[in-house]
Structures are given as C-alpha cells and as structure tokens.
Amino acid sequence: AQKITQTQPGMFVQEKEAVTLDCTYDTSDPSYGLFWYKQPSSGEMIFLIYQGSYDQQNATEGRYSLNFQKARKSANLVISASQLGDSAMYFCAMRVGTGGFKTIFGAGTRLFVKA
Amino acid sequence: DAGVIQSPRHEVTEMGQEVTLRCKPISGHDYLFWYRQTMMRGLELLIYFNNNVPIDDSGMPEDRFSAKMPNASFSTLKIQPSEPRDSAVYFCASSVYRTGGETQYFGPGTRLLVL
C-alpha cells in the first residue's frame, strides 16, 4: 500500500535554530516524487521542495533541504535558521505511479517557532 | 505570472443545492488536480486531469461529485445535491512535469459550507 507518515503532530523550535520534520513513505513503485508543502494559518498551500526517486543528491531550496534516505524510505525536511514566519502546518506528499500523477499527503506537522 | 485561480473563495449553501467550483490553472501546465481538505480526513486527491482528460477519479466520493475540464484553461467541480458532510476546503492545483523536477501549484482554495 502507498502511504505517507508524519509522526510529529506538533513541533517547537527556537528562532534562528534548525529543525527537522520527519516523513516516511511506503511504495513499491521505483518511480515516485516527494514534496513538501507549507500551509500557514491563512490556508494557502505553498510548494517548498521536491525530490525525485532517482535523484542522487538531496534537494535544496534556500533554507529548506530534503534529507532523502531511500533505503529507509524517509524524506525529512530540514529548515535552517528558523524564522517566526515559518510557523505553519507542513505536509509531506508523494506522487506515486510510473507515468501517473496521483499524489497522497501525510497528516501534517504543525511547527511553532518561538521568539 | 498569475497563479492558479479559484472561484468562489467562499461558498455557503443549503443542503440539496447544486454547488459549482471553478478553477483556472497556470498557463502551460498540463496537469490539473482537485483536492479536498477536512480536519478529519486531511488532504485528499479527488480527481486529476492530463491535457484535459480525466486520468484518475478514484478519489471522487460518490456520484454526487463530478468534474470537467472543457479546455486547458478551465475546470469545474460540481456537487449535486450538496450535503453538510461536503463542507470542506476544496483546492485546485496545476502542474507541469519537466525533466529534473516537478511541482504542484495550489490555488487559494474554496471554503465550502453546506448548511
């Protein structure tokens, strides 16, 4: 079965520190894509970062990096130098199926950044 | 560039009424997705299109839901008749697949309340 698991319902981090949000996935398809999205309290979904299953290097986008450990089936999001504006809900998602674009989402992790 | 546009942003209706949600994807994107977000079920993919053709509608809850994409710049999600349990935020997203990466850009969502 294809599944995304985010085990941390809520996380606290001190401003300017780094934080890791956990995500594990399960699929038997060799071709898949992994995404992270941010959903602030205003409700919009903001794309942060993407990792393809065949990508050799971990994806990075500014302060965001994806720690991709294929053997462990994990795709953790690392946010460096946290800012107050990073307080939001974060979703891990997986696009599954060779040639397909069906995307499933995890339950999300709510991040609180403390001043 | 304009992002994904959804209308209306808010909809309040009475049980039994027909509801039509609209979406304009980003120009040049050939995939369009409809999602539903609720507290109980999280983010669920309802249906997605590729080049205006429905590819996977396995997430559509029941026959009361229907979606169309008559052309590359417009899609609708219709609920007829609506029920209180349909109350949710409905997101439209569009995507284009390119070698080296992919993203899904979400619209602002339509907040639906069925009384």
Side-chain angles (χ1 to χ4, degrees), chain B residues 26-87:
Chain B
I26 294 173
S27 177
H29 284 196
D30 52 2
Y31 285 86
L32 183 138
F33 307 80
W34 283 101
Y35 292 92
R36 179 172 69 176
Q37 185 177 32
T38 61
M39 289 295 293
M40 292 299 295
R41 300 176 66 90
L43 267 157
E44 304 172 277
L45 176 65
L46 300 177
I47 185 172
Y48 77 90
F49 296 81
N50 178 217
N51 292 322
N52 314 339
V53 176
I55 303 299
D56 187 337
D57 65 355
S58 59
M60 296 286 263
E62 48 198 272
D63 291 346
R64 297 184 298 106
F65 285 69
S66 63
K68 293 182 179 180
M69 192 166 185
N71 57 62
S73 59
F74 183 65
S75 177
T76 59
L77 177 68
K78 188 173 293 186
I79 308 172
Q80 166 64 21
S82 58
E83 296 182 4
R85 59 191 168 124
D86 301 331
S87 297

Side-chain angles (χ1 to χ4, degrees), chain A:
Chain A
Q2 294 148 343
K3 191 178 179 182
I4 287 278
T5 303
Q6 294 180 254
T7 57
Q8 305 154 315
M11 288 277 290
F12 284 88
V13 64
Q14 194 69 38
E15 192 179 12
K16 299 181 185 177
E17 292 185 353
V19 62
T20 298
L21 307 183
D22 294 342
C23 173
T24 58
Y25 61 92
D26 189 18
T27 181
S28 57
D29 199 302
S31 175
Y32 51 90
L34 297 157
F35 304 79
W36 277 92
Y37 289 88
K38 173 184 178 181
Q39 187 175 41
S41 57
S42 52
E44 71 265 34
M45 293 286 289
I46 303 168
F47 166 77
L48 296 178
I49 198 165
Y50 164 84
Q51 179 87 40
S53 59
Y54 296 117
D55 293 345
Q56 296 295 313
Q57 306 226 349
N58 287 344
T60 59
E61 290 285 349
R63 294 186 299 112
Y64 304 107
S65 60
L66 198 151
N67 185 0
F68 182 44
Q69 298 189 39
K70 198 169 184 177
R72 295 187 178 184
K73 293 190 175 180
S74 74
N76 298 339
L77 177 70
V78 181
I79 305 174
S80 63
S82 297
Q83 302 172 356
L84 295 178
D86 295 334
S87 294
M89 196 76 165
Y90 288 82
F91 292 96
C92 180
M94 176 171 63
R95 187 266 302 156
V96 298
T98 302
F101 262 70
K102 184 167 184 172
T103 306
I104 57 174
F105 281 77
T109 295
R110 185 166 295 280
L111 178 66
F112 299 91
V113 180
K114 300 182 291 184

